[in-house]
Amino acid sequence: MSADAGRAAGEAADGVAGGAAVGPAGGLAVGDVVAERTVHLTREDLVRYAGASGDFNPIHYRDDVAASVGLPGVLAHGMLTMGVAVQPVVDWAGGPGRILDYGVRFTRPVVVDAHAGVDLVVTARVGALDDAVARVDLTVTAGGESVLGRAQVRVSLA
Amino acid sequence: MPVNPQLQGRVFPPTEPYLVGREKIREFSRAVRATHPTHLDLDAARAAGYADLVAPPTFAVVVQERSLDRLLTDPDAGIDLAHVVHGEQRFAFSRPIVAGDELVGTLTVTSVKTLGATSMVTAESVVADVAGGHVVTAVSTLVVRGEDA
């Protein structure tokens, strides 16, 4: 399949099931930005994640508790940031089944203001490539500062 | 109390099977803004070759958490949850988690490093289905701050 055919099939399959010909097919190079997304998080999102994940640590919804342990404010769960950040790659890759491996370092807390919330800005770039696997490197910032380190997703191209 | 250095190499007993629910996958997907159709739409998941809805990659943490609990609540471990910060997280998949899976996690403490008042504890949870097939290995590094840190 040519690169153009791959792209066309990918567009056609977009929003349908995890079709084989989405994103990664053809024409990929190291350094390519494959996805970008800005996600706005509010306190409501933290409560929703607490319920969905079972992580009810009060530093993620109570200002008084966060202050009492010396934090700059209520923080997003690290696993919420990690979970949100991979989604543009899942969509690009053509579904969750293509994710082979995903790892991050939590380098800076994400403070979620009670009124303003916070924007997470995700950029996904091809960091390494062979015939079968692309390593996609994520840059994730909040308030202009990087919050994840060595955030890498290995995506099956097969 | 410092983290017990003898934790390194310790293997904890497997967790009770966790049954992955279809609505739990929808709920978790909404929470992490996962919108791929295989997370939400049964027909799309089946068309893609899965028996049921597919969980987002980081859903594995829900199963891992149960095995990590065994470490964090072990009085011998010397880990005070109030002083724990999540340092690193990684998932390595053999296949994605699908609704209907019954999953068991077995936790091994692979490394304990202490520098001054701070310890880094790395724990690996091997998550398998009840037939014994490997699904995902989840590795967490926890930073445990000492009282004076």
Side-chain angles (χ1 to χ4, degrees):
Chain A
M1 183 187 289
S2 76
D4 285 350
R7 289 228 171 81
E11 280 159 23
D14 197 24
V16 191
V22 185
L28 206 57
V30 171
D32 284 358
V33 172
V34 296
E36 288 179 286
R37 189 175 292 178
T38 298
V39 177
H40 186 67
L41 293 181
T42 65
R43 292 281 176 92
E44 181 187 334
D45 293 305
L46 306 194
V47 173
R48 186 185 302 283
Y49 185 78
S53 68
D55 181 345
F56 289 100
N57 187 334
I59 65 166
H60 303 304
Y61 51 88
R62 278 183 53 182
D63 293 276
D64 59 330
V65 174
S68 75
V69 294
L71 296 172
V74 161
L75 306 183
H77 306 71
M79 288 306 305
L80 172 58
T81 303
M82 183 180 185
V84 165
V86 77
Q87 296 313 321
V89 182
V90 170
D91 292 342
W92 167 76
R98 291 188 174 268
I99 307 302
L100 303 174
D101 190 297
Y102 177 34
V104 306
R105 283 184 178 179
F106 301 102
T107 51
R108 189 185 292 270
V110 176
V111 177
V112 182
D113 183 83
H115 300 286
V118 70
D119 279 340
L120 284 181
V121 181
V122 182
T123 306
R125 205 176 260 106
V126 178
L129 196 58
D130 64 33
D131 288 346
V133 177
R135 193 193 79 213
V136 177
D137 298 344
L138 303 177
T139 305
V140 182
T141 62
E145 297 196 281
S146 175
V147 297
L148 297 181
R150 208 184 283 177
Q152 300 183 337
V153 194
R154 287 178 58 248
V155 177
S156 170
L157 304 176
Chain B
M1 183 165 77
V3 175
N4 181 352
Q6 299 195 331
L7 275 180
Q8 185 161 317
R10 184 140 163 222
V11 182
F12 287 77
T15 55
E16 293 297 309
Y18 177 95
L19 174 60
V20 179
R22 185 184 290 166
E23 300 309 333
K24 191 69 195 177
I25 287 182
R26 288 198 173 108
E27 180 190 6
F28 191 90
S29 298
R30 189 174 174 199
V32 297
R33 310 284 182 90
T35 54
H36 194 269
T38 55
H39 299 309
L40 305 168
D41 176 350
L42 197 52
D43 291 339
R46 288 182 173 152
Y50 298 102
D52 210 304
L53 296 185
V54 184
T58 62
F59 181 77
V61 76
V62 174
V63 183
Q64 180 200 11
E65 201 73 36
R66 298 183 173 225
S67 61
L68 263 181
D69 253 10
R70 306 222 155 176
L71 166 64
L72 297 175
T73 58
D74 187 321
D76 267 1
I79 297 175
D80 176 358
L81 198 51
H83 293 99
V84 172
V85 175
H86 204 170
E88 295 184 38
Q89 180 67 42
R90 186 171 166 215
F91 302 102
F93 293 91
S94 290
R95 66 166 176 86
I97 293 172
V98 176
D101 278 340
E102 285 192 72
L103 302 174
V104 173
T106 305
L107 183 115
T108 303
V109 178
T110 53
S111 150
V112 178
K113 290 178 192 153
T114 299
L115 195 67
T118 300
S119 297
M120 309 262 284
V121 179
T122 302
E124 178 183 280
S125 300
V126 174
V127 176
D129 56 34
V130 284
H134 180 261
V135 177
V136 55
T137 295
V139 182
S140 292
T141 298
L142 306 176
V143 182
V144 186
R145 293 173 294 154
E147 298 290 341
D148 304 324

